[in-house]
Amino acid sequence: MIIIMKQFKIIVFIILSLFFFNKIIKAEIHFKNTDFELEIIRINGKEKGPTLLVFGGIHGDEEGGYSSAEVLAKTIMYKGNLIIVPRVNYAGIMHYRREIYGDMNRKFTDKEYPNDPDHKVMVMLKELISEADIFINQHDAFGFHRKKYISKSYNPFRYGQSLIVDTGKIFSKKLNKELNIDSIGNRIINNVNAEIKNSKHHFCFWNQNSISTNTKFKDMQKSATYYAVTRYSIPAFGLETSKNLPSSKLKIKYQLLVIKKIMEEFGLEYKLKTDRFDKPSLYWIEFIKNSKDIIRVNSNTNIRLNINDTIKANKIHSNYGMGLSFDILNWKNSNDFNNEYSFTQERTAFIRKNHIFIGKVRFKKFKKDSIRKIFIEVNNKTTSIPNWGVLKIKSNDIFKILNCDNKTKYYFDIRGYNNRKGDSKIAISSKDLLKKYSFKREGNIYFVKIYNKSILIGGFQIEISSK
Ligand SMILES: [Zn+2]
């Protein structure tokens, strides 16, 4: 009986912790599928502690910020909480431009600008600052900040590799004590630099004293950190990595290193993997054509349409789940994901992960010899899918590729089915397909290519569901 009780306790514990872990990471997306998409991720620790708010990408061409914020979003918190906004300036990031509707880091004032396109985002950002105990605004900047002039790139006028504050002392109402930001900042930077071997990449702590009336940095009085310090008296840091670092990976690494040391300084406990940064790539993009047909294509594919056919991007399948956009060039928004396009003229569309181009497709008119339909027999019943469509079958269905609508003799090649003479007119079951050739070797999705005299002219996916 005791043993059973013990097991029961373990099971209850596992269930509770699963429940717990499911609840501790919450992501909300506002203004979805627009140029102002705003994702807010909340990670709550098991133990109570301060809440750190991190803004990534307030300037769209400062990739160290928004790329590292995404890595930070995978943190497990033991004590304290994180609120992360990985892409503050979404349109800026997509275009790799510092700003689109003016500098977002100069809009943290009490003035309301209801006609500013960024207005609704600004309202939410200010609201988030009111929830925080500590705040970091991430940036990249040219050169390397140094207290004394060393060279053109290393001097007091450069912003890169610095941790900037607006004042040296604050009385934190939330923590109910006076905080000596100068000594806190210097301590953080000493801890950071102790872990950077290359002294050329060392950080500098920089108190700009922008809250003083005779500051040289008057403009900073409209910034997010100034807002955080003066309205809520919370420690607020501008974190700048250098644009002159040799790689994006290094910018991400340094951003995360400083954030870790800030978390440690304020007693947050966490587990963060900082070595994960995969190159973004597109697996395929899914469209809905004329509100019914599913089409899935790789990059560099022409999608053939009739005038007035409608098409909309429905799903971007990539190794990243966030920060993906679809932009039909010279049409509507920067992010046209889920916008229905009625085909009138040839257009090109780009698929991006943040600012990084990961693919393109072209909408073009049907040619005389284009494939419009592919005929397939499933369990002796003939069905059809559009070119680049999806054949959805069950694992014990038998299918046979027949031909295409224009009767040309094509060569069909199912990746994962071994037959040199082409794979049409043969009864095949999912068990005949080799799993190792399926998407991610999972055995659910197989790819079929269609050739006309060795030229690739079409294809489709076979999607297999277990029941
Ligand atoms: Zn910036």
Side-chain angles (χ1 to χ4, degrees):
M1 190 61 189
I2 291 166
I3 294 168
I4 293 170
M5 277 304 287
K6 213 173 179 183
Q7 280 180 341
F8 178 72
K9 271 184 187 170
I10 291 167
I11 291 165
V12 168
F13 177 74
I14 292 169
I15 292 169
L16 279 178
S17 49
L18 280 174
F19 181 70
F20 200 72
F21 274 104
N22 276 333
K23 287 204 92 177
I24 55 176
I25 300 189
K26 278 188 269 176
E28 35 183 289
I29 300 179
H30 301 268
F31 321 121
K32 207 175 171 181
N33 305 326
T34 72
D35 291 8
F36 302 91
E37 190 167 297
L38 192 72
E39 183 169 25
I40 301 167
I41 299 156
R42 292 166 196 273
I43 307 171
N44 296 328
K46 274 186 207 169
E47 229 184 290
K48 278 187 179 172
T51 297
L52 169 66
L53 170 67
V54 179
F55 283 177
I58 197 162
H59 294 139
D61 60 347
E62 298 175 8
E63 58 172 330
Y66 54 81
S67 307
S68 59
E70 288 182 354
V71 181
L72 189 68
K74 291 171 187 153
T75 308
I76 296 170
M77 293 304 291
Y78 300 120
K79 188 179 178 182
N81 316 302
L82 285 178
I83 304 174
I84 304 163
V85 186
R87 292 168 296 279
V88 167
N89 181 358
Y90 191 48
I93 291 166
M94 280 189 279
H95 295 288
Y96 207 52
R97 276 169 53 189
R98 181 184 167 86
E99 54 197 61
I100 304 286
Y101 306 104
D103 189 342
M104 288 182 86
N105 202 30
R106 297 290 178 270
K107 295 182 183 180
F108 289 88
T109 62
D110 283 334
K111 282 183 198 163
E112 292 271 319
Y113 300 98
N115 296 325
D116 182 345
D118 285 330
H119 179 72
K120 54 185 187 284
V121 172
M122 295 310 302
V123 170
M124 298 203 82
L125 296 176
K126 287 179 186 171
E127 184 65 36
L128 287 173
I129 292 176
S130 76
E131 289 181 44
D133 301 310
I134 310 141
F135 170 57
I136 300 172
N137 199 10
Q138 299 183 285
H139 299 266
D140 288 345
F142 287 108
F144 298 80
H145 184 73
R146 293 294 181 261
K147 295 293 163 213
K148 285 182 183 149
Y149 191 95
I150 298 163
S151 68
K152 224 176 140 185
S153 300
Y154 288 78
N155 65 57
F157 307 103
R158 296 296 183 188
Y159 274 69
Q161 303 300 91
S162 71
L163 187 66
I164 301 172
V165 296
D166 301 81
T167 176
K169 270 197 181 76
I170 52 174
F171 184 83
S172 164
K173 282 175 223 157
K174 283 183 179 171
L175 303 171
N176 195 30
K177 59 179 176 185
E178 179 152 289
L179 296 172
N180 186 333
I181 300 296
D182 280 333
S183 56
I184 288 171
N186 277 308
R187 194 160 53 231
I188 290 164
I189 290 311
N190 286 340
N191 292 337
V192 166
N193 288 344
E195 291 189 24
I196 301 176
K197 280 186 194 144
N198 184 350
S199 64
K200 284 189 166 176
H201 295 172
H202 277 179
F203 280 80
C204 263
F205 174 67
W206 188 4
N207 177 2
Q208 295 188 331
N209 206 19
S210 60
I211 67 158
S212 133
T213 42
N214 51 6
T215 179
K216 285 181 238 163
F217 303 95
K218 203 123 191 124
D219 225 28
M220 296 304 283
Q221 295 180 351
K222 298 171 198 158
S223 73
T225 53
Y226 181 90
Y227 184 86
V229 168
T230 52
R231 303 301 189 284
Y232 301 102
S233 58
I234 59 169
F237 302 93
L239 168 54
E240 306 258 6
T241 38
S242 176
K243 287 190 177 189
N244 301 94
L245 290 167
S247 69
S248 309
K249 221 173 173 170
L250 207 51
K251 290 177 202 168
I252 295 168
K253 194 183 145 187
Y254 289 150
Q255 285 277 347
L256 294 172
L257 176 60
V258 181
I259 293 170
K260 278 165 76 173
K261 296 301 174 192
I262 291 174
M263 289 204 278
E264 285 161 22
E265 175 67 34
F266 291 96
L268 283 85
E269 290 169 22
Y270 61 88
K271 189 172 133 192
L272 166 61
K273 278 192 177 169
T274 55
D275 53 345
R276 282 175 56 185
F277 182 66
D278 302 324
K279 196 175 171 233
S281 66
L282 177 72
Y283 299 140
W284 63 77
I285 177 164
E286 180 181 296
F287 294 94
I288 306 280
K289 185 181 146 185
N290 294 334
S291 311
K292 58 181 187 352
D293 291 329
I294 298 174
I295 288 174
R296 288 179 189 165
V297 296
N298 298 106
S299 182
N300 281 319
T301 308
N302 294 327
I303 297 173
R304 302 279 173 185
L305 299 162
N306 290 316
I307 296 293
N308 296 330
D309 274 351
T310 63
I311 190 145
K312 84 177 173 188
N314 186 50
K315 220 175 268 172
I316 299 170
H317 211 66
S318 149
N319 56 344
Y320 281 83
M322 312 192 288
L324 300 163
S325 67
F326 171 76
D327 179 14
I328 301 175
L329 304 184
N330 305 316
W331 185 75
K332 275 200 180 174
N333 306 329
S334 305
N335 190 9
D336 297 312
F337 188 83
N338 232 356
N339 276 337
E340 196 155 72
Y341 173 62
S342 180
F343 181 71
T344 48
Q345 63 180 95
E346 290 195 1
R347 288 195 189 267
T348 300
F350 283 179
I351 302 124
R352 298 186 186 98
K353 157 65 192 168
N354 292 336
H355 67 283
I356 302 163
F357 172 91
I358 56 169
K360 77 173 170 199
V361 293
R362 275 189 213 90
F363 299 139
K364 286 187 157 188
K365 261 191 227 166
F366 274 113
K367 290 196 295 188
K368 243 187 193 166
D369 58 346
S370 301
I371 297 175
R372 288 166 190 256
K373 276 182 183 171
I374 303 158
F375 294 100
I376 302 155
E377 212 177 83
V378 180
N379 301 332
N380 296 319
K381 258 179 148 175
T382 303
T383 173
S384 76
I385 54 169
N387 194 16
W388 305 117
V390 181
L391 175 68
K392 294 192 176 186
I393 59 167
K394 294 180 184 83
S395 59
N396 42 17
D397 284 346
I398 305 290
F399 68 93
K400 194 194 274 185
I401 301 169
L402 301 173
N403 208 346
C404 300
D405 54 340
N406 55 17
K407 309 288 181 212
T408 309
K409 282 205 171 147
Y410 295 122
Y411 181 87
F412 290 85
D413 178 30
I414 306 171
R415 219 176 124 67
Y417 186 73
N418 223 347
N419 180 19
R420 283 195 188 160
K421 287 176 185 162
D423 300 331
S424 61
K425 313 243 163 41
I426 307 163
I428 299 168
S429 111
S430 68
K431 289 160 196 90
D432 302 326
L433 304 173
L434 296 171
K435 203 173 170 180
K436 67 172 177 176
Y437 292 104
S438 66
F439 176 64
K440 286 189 175 172
R441 297 174 169 241
E442 285 165 354
N444 303 322
I445 289 175
Y446 289 84
F447 303 97
V448 183
K449 286 181 172 172
I450 308 170
Y451 295 91
N452 187 8
K453 291 170 191 134
S454 80
I455 295 165
L456 179 74
I457 50 135
F460 62 94
Q461 287 186 9
I462 303 171
E463 191 179 290
I464 302 163
S465 60
S466 53
K467 275 172 194 167

